[in-house]
């Protein structure tokens, strides 16, 4: 059923004549959607100005421009047949590192040997040990009170003074009139005559299309 309706709809579209404007618009959209479309005779016969011709020329490289070297470069014959000097040969040789075969795995060498007891005695570094002691608290230091703590009996049975009760009571806010209108305009404001400058500033700006 759906296929038959679809074919009937296509047949109606194919047989129904289109308006000339609609057909021209469809042809233009089809032409512009393609990478190749016809050029108008006016564009083909147009004469370009010297400035436009000058701008159409592609920009050239700078005279001192050097292109990047390729990854694989050709070594010239002069570099292949060159003979290094004795100094270059000496510098190119790796440094010889002496390996002590007597040192077993896990054994410390003379560079990593333990220091004698005289270097680690407390008498030698008395000042250093004194400075290593952490700084203590002041004798009058009082830590912060915990957020949850028991209330004393004196605080529970205390009677506030009249002044304290007066300060603890909230301020009373009484409405003078119950018929308050927030959007009511003052009559004196309604009779005000605006100046010419205010009237000029109140006019909307005109935008020329």
């Amino acid at each position: 059923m759906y296929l038959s309706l679809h074919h009937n709809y296509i047949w109606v579209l194919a047989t129904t004549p289109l308006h000339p404007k609609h057909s021209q618009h469809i042809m233009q959209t089809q032409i512009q959607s393609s990478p190749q479309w016809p050029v108008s005779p006016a564009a083909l016969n147009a004469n370009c100005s010297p400035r436009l011709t000058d701008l159409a020329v592609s920009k050239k490289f700078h005279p001192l421009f050097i292109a990047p070297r390729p990854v694989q470069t050709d070594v010239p014959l002069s570099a292949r047949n060159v003979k290094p000097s004795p100094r270059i040969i000496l510098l190119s040789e790796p440094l010889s590192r002496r390996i002590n075969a007597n040192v077993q795995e896990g054994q410390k060498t003379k560079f990593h040997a333990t220091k004698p007891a005289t270097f680690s005695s407390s008498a030698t570094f008395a000042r250093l040990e004194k400075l290593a002691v952490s700084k203590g608290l002041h004798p009058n230091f009082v830590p912060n009170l915990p957020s949850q703590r028991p209330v004393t009996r004196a605080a529970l049975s205390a009677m506030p003074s009249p002044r304290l009760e007066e300060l603890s009571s909230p301020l009373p806010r009484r409405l003078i009139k119950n018929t308050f209108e927030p959007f009511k305009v003052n009559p004196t404001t309604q009779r005000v005559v605006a100046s010419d400058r205010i009237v000029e500033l109140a006019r909307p700006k005109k935008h020329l299309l």
Side-chain angles (χ1 to χ4, degrees):
M1 183 66 181
Y2 176 75
L3 292 175
S4 61
L5 291 175
H6 184 65
H7 287 299
N8 293 335
Y9 179 70
I10 294 175
W11 179 79
V12 169
L13 288 178
T15 55
T16 305
L18 296 175
H19 196 270
K21 292 184 179 180
H22 294 173
S23 60
Q24 185 178 3
H25 177 68
I26 292 173
M27 290 295 294
Q28 289 180 357
T29 53
Q30 290 179 356
I31 290 172
Q32 292 179 0
S33 62
S34 175
Q36 296 180 358
W37 61 83
V39 184
S40 61
L44 291 173
N45 300 326
N47 295 325
C48 300
S49 61
R51 176 60 178 167
L52 189 60
T53 307
D54 189 14
L55 292 174
V57 177
S58 59
K59 191 175 181 180
K60 298 180 180 180
F61 291 105
H62 194 269
L64 302 179
F65 172 76
I66 300 175
R69 298 179 61 183
V71 179
Q72 297 180 359
T73 56
D74 297 334
V75 182
L77 294 175
S78 59
R80 297 178 187 176
N81 301 328
V82 71
K83 293 183 179 180
S85 61
R87 177 62 178 168
I88 295 178
I89 295 175
L90 180 62
L91 293 174
S92 63
E93 293 179 357
L95 294 176
S96 58
R97 300 180 182 274
R98 296 180 181 179
I99 300 175
N100 192 1
N102 298 328
V103 179
Q104 298 179 1
E105 185 178 358
Q107 185 180 0
K108 295 182 179 180
T109 59
K110 62 179 180 179
F111 299 102
H112 303 281
T114 57
K115 296 181 180 180
T118 55
F119 290 96
S120 60
S121 61
S122 59
T124 309
F125 301 97
R127 176 62 178 169
L128 187 61
E129 290 183 357
K130 185 178 180 180
L131 293 174
V133 176
S134 60
K135 191 175 181 180
L137 299 175
H138 194 269
N140 298 331
F141 172 76
V142 178
N144 297 329
L145 295 175
S147 57
Q148 295 182 0
R149 57 185 180 274
V151 185
T152 59
R153 292 184 179 180
L156 292 173
S157 59
M159 298 296 294
S161 61
R163 177 59 179 167
L164 191 60
E165 291 182 355
E166 182 182 357
L167 293 174
S168 62
S169 60
L171 295 175
R173 299 181 182 273
R174 299 177 182 177
L175 293 176
I176 300 174
K177 293 182 180 180
N178 295 329
T179 59
F180 176 70
E181 297 181 3
F183 300 101
K184 184 179 180 180
V185 184
N186 194 358
T188 56
T189 308
Q190 296 179 2
R191 301 190 191 95
V192 171
V193 179
S195 61
D196 298 337
R197 178 59 178 167
I198 294 178
V199 174
E200 182 182 356
L201 293 174
R203 293 175 182 173
K205 294 182 179 180
K206 296 181 180 180
H207 297 279
L208 299 176
L209 299 177

